[in-house]
Amino acid sequence: MMAHITTIFLVVVGLLQGSVAKPNVVFLLADDWGIGDVGAYAKMVNGGDKPPVTPNLDQLASEGTMFTRFHTLASVCSPSRASWLTGSWPLAVKSPYIFSCNHDANVAKGQGDYVNLTTPFIAKVMHDDGYMTAHYGKWHLGCTPDAPPVNAYGYDDSATYVSNNNSAQLGNFSDKWFPANSSTLIVNYALDFVEKALQADKPFYINLWFHISHAPLNPSPEQLQGFDVKDYCPWSGMIPSKVTSNEAYIHCPIQVFRASQHDADQQIGRFMDTIRSKGLSNNTFVIFSGDNGPEDPHVYFNSVGSAGIYRGRKRSLYEGGISTPLIAWLPGTIPAGVVSEEDFASIDFFPTVAAMAGITLDTKTQDWLRGRNAIDLLKSPNTALSPRKYALTWDYRFGMPGKCYHQSPRLAIMDPEGSPSSQLKLLMNPDNTRVELYNLTHDLFEQDNIASSNPSTVARLSKLLLDWLSTMPTTPPKNIVYNEGCTLKGPNVIEVEEDPFDLSLYELA
């Protein structure tokens, strides 16, 4: 394992050691963006014939480093977000699925109502170290009436949604134009906060968690300009008659989706222009990523994001559900124009940011963290870190609508001994059915199951996975029926066929 996280790491940002200014930290998190939904990534991973129009994120990528082997530790919203901010597995904070605003619904899912306030939280660590801290946009880490307000987790300021009335609200989510206006609102709040931090002469830590491209999407006429329906859907009769009465569907799906993403990109550009114009570039660490893979169009008609070359979408533990874009930016420290294939994950965010700020973590926090400090990787993106002490593991027990070949087994583990030259991944159900082993180095689509020819590897990884699961403080939902996946027609040939499902069973996470 690399140097202990108790070491104080000082990031050199052009200042002499001993008088190093603490770097500002900005976390841009998009909702349901696949790895092919950023222009710079789409060029590498086949983003489709109508690629994303994201010039500002593309500029961020050209000035920073793109990671192509980044993983978020869940395939849906709440557990993924919990892994970023707590530095540990979602199951450790009792979030196997999305936090509902209804207590009984959470009990039925075998989870808590919110992240417990005793859990180490990166915002609190930063706040206690003298940072001004803020969270704007989606929350979704607890919204029952008794859930703590957002600010209780270490934030000086917040404006959120999918939170309860104890927290300041970003806007009226029931307003049909909320999705269209949300990115602007988030950035407006963030820019005001930057000004306050500068006036206070304090470093800042800000989360900007965007609604886009989560359902529903309803871009304004202004946002649709430049996305002519004739260019995006030149054919006729593509809108199902059953949804033509809904205003959100009056334009073609890919037009609506790309226009919505473009507006989010424009607002990110507005924020970054301010960072640059105020001379903050060399002392502001920016990360852009997504919470999980793209939503399935079976759930929402306009959800046509791109998982690129990967199998799986949101909710799936195949790569398309858990591999998202990750752009890291800090001019002068993080190399520009670099593409890295090294291992990076959402649980690494907490220890990396704390180390970047030069914070010595207390023993309780050190013992809690399951991610690793990735500062050396950020500075030298193609230099591998030491093997992980704790393997990357996943658990998802709930609905998987859509094509059967996207519907993965319910547990997964990345071989902690793997590397870009040979990265093995095991998937299986908790009852030991559907055991699948893939070498991601040679099989990114996860089609060639090599489990039967590698029994010792399967035994080693399945033991690690099930031993890990046995330590988690959650109770899986009762009466789960694990899907059998796709029927195979000959060696490695997947039958492309839809599994029937009841849309009412699925929540828009």
Side-chain angles (χ1 to χ4, degrees):
M1 185 178 178
M2 61 183 298
H4 294 296
I5 58 176
T6 51
T7 303
I8 301 177
F9 291 88
L10 298 179
V11 179
V12 179
V13 290
L15 300 176
L16 296 177
Q17 188 172 3
S19 59
V20 178
K22 287 184 175 293
N24 307 307
V25 178
V26 175
F27 180 16
L28 309 169
L29 188 66
D31 206 325
D32 295 355
W33 285 42
I35 199 165
D37 287 327
V38 175
Y41 278 89
K43 297 174 183 177
M44 298 186 292
V45 299
N46 184 20
D49 60 348
K50 297 298 180 185
V53 183
T54 56
N56 294 288
L57 287 173
D58 296 350
Q59 180 181 352
L60 199 71
S62 69
E63 297 173 353
T65 293
M66 300 166 56
F67 289 85
T68 59
R69 210 175 133 223
F70 173 79
H71 290 94
T72 179
L73 263 286
S75 58
V76 291
C77 177
S78 298
S80 169
R81 292 161 192 264
S83 72
W84 284 93
L85 299 189
T86 70
S88 192
W89 300 301
L91 291 188
V93 297
K94 300 184 179 180
S95 179
Y97 191 50
I98 61 171
F99 286 117
S100 173
C101 297
N102 179 279
H103 170 72
D104 292 339
N106 287 324
V107 171
K109 297 169 188 171
Q111 66 180 26
D113 286 329
Y114 49 82
V115 176
N116 196 297
L117 285 177
T118 61
T119 304
F121 219 77
I122 183 58
K124 189 174 189 307
V125 168
M126 301 295 278
H127 182 272
D128 290 349
D129 194 60
Y131 276 76
M132 288 183 61
T133 55
H135 184 106
Y136 302 119
K138 190 173 187 178
W139 179 240
H140 219 172
L141 294 176
C143 56
T144 53
D146 63 335
V150 173
N151 287 7
Y153 291 89
Y155 298 102
D156 291 305
D157 193 41
S158 63
T160 59
Y161 63 101
V162 198
S163 54
N164 63 22
N165 290 330
N166 296 325
S167 301
Q169 298 297 297
L170 181 71
N172 181 6
F173 192 77
S174 63
D175 180 354
K176 73 173 184 177
W177 295 115
F178 175 83
N181 296 329
S182 60
S183 298
T184 298
L185 292 171
I186 290 166
V187 170
N188 285 349
Y189 273 107
L191 290 177
D192 286 346
F193 191 78
V194 168
E195 287 293 339
K196 293 176 183 177
L198 292 177
Q199 292 173 9
D201 195 26
K202 286 189 174 184
F204 55 82
Y205 166 90
I206 311 177
N207 294 334
L208 288 80
W209 286 11
F210 294 90
H211 168 82
I212 305 299
S213 54
H214 195 290
L217 297 175
N218 187 27
S220 68
E222 293 77 17
Q223 291 167 352
L224 285 166
Q225 290 180 8
F227 294 85
D228 194 322
V229 67
K230 295 179 181 178
D231 296 330
Y232 281 80
C233 293
W235 54 90
S236 61
M238 69 156 302
I239 308 296
S241 59
K242 66 181 180 180
V243 296
T244 52
S245 62
N246 187 327
E247 291 184 39
Y249 294 97
I250 61 175
H251 302 282
C252 77
I254 190 64
Q255 175 206 24
V256 166
F257 193 83
R258 293 297 184 224
S260 298
Q261 288 189 315
H262 176 256
D263 179 70
D265 176 84
Q266 293 296 104
Q267 297 307 317
I268 289 172
R270 183 163 68 96
F271 179 84
M272 291 305 302
D273 285 347
T274 299
I275 295 297
R276 295 183 182 101
S277 67
K278 291 186 176 296
L280 300 175
S281 296
N282 289 342
N283 198 35
T284 301
F285 172 46
V286 178
I287 272 191
F288 169 84
S289 192
D291 61 343
N292 45 250
E295 179 61 277
D296 195 284
H298 291 78
V299 173
Y300 185 68
F301 189 63
N302 287 338
S303 295
V304 289
S306 171
I309 54 178
Y310 296 132
R311 178 183 182 183
R313 300 180 72 83
K314 181 176 180 177
R315 302 177 184 84
S316 175
L317 299 185
Y318 291 129
E319 290 296 283
I322 57 177
S323 183
T324 62
L326 189 288
I327 301 170
W329 184 89
L330 178 55
T333 299
I334 297 175
V338 174
V339 177
S340 174
E341 296 181 351
E342 296 299 328
D343 169 28
F344 198 9
S346 56
I347 54 172
D348 300 332
F349 178 75
F350 187 142
T352 301
V353 168
M356 184 171 286
I359 298 173
T360 302
L361 298 173
D362 60 36
T363 301
K364 175 188 173 183
T365 304
Q366 295 174 37
D367 292 342
W368 163 263
L369 291 174
R370 293 298 180 262
R372 62 183 179 180
N373 175 1
I375 276 188
D376 289 344
L377 179 61
L378 293 176
K379 290 181 178 180
S380 183
N382 289 311
T383 300
L385 300 178
S386 301
R388 290 182 178 275
K389 180 178 179 181
Y390 302 100
L392 299 181
T393 48
W394 292 265
D395 176 305
Y396 181 77
R397 311 289 184 93
F398 303 89
M400 289 186 190
K403 300 287 186 181
C404 70
Y405 61 84
H406 290 321
Q407 297 173 5
S408 68
R410 301 316 178 96
L411 302 175
I413 183 171
M414 205 71 70
D415 188 351
E417 300 175 9
S419 67
S421 62
S422 181
Q423 179 58 65
L424 297 176
K425 176 184 175 184
L426 179 79
L427 300 99
M428 62 185 291
N429 285 332
D431 60 1
N432 287 297
T433 59
R434 285 196 68 189
V435 178
E436 301 176 14
L437 180 68
Y438 301 103
N439 188 330
L440 297 181
T441 301
H442 309 293
D443 181 23
L444 287 174
F445 191 71
E446 295 169 282
Q447 178 171 300
D448 185 13
N449 183 3
I450 58 174
S452 61
S453 59
N454 293 270
S456 61
T457 299
V458 169
R460 175 174 61 87
L461 293 179
S462 61
K463 184 178 188 306
L464 280 175
L465 184 53
L466 295 176
D467 285 351
W468 162 78
L469 187 63
S470 70
T471 67
M472 291 295 100
T474 58
T475 303
K478 298 179 180 179
N479 303 320
I480 294 177
V481 177
Y482 299 116
N483 61 308
E484 297 180 357
C486 291
T487 301
L488 297 183
K489 293 182 175 180
N492 304 326
V493 178
I494 296 174
E495 179 181 289
V496 180
E497 183 178 296
E498 289 184 26
D499 282 354
F501 67 96
D502 181 354
L503 185 59
S504 66
L505 298 177
Y506 300 96
E507 298 184 51
L508 291 176

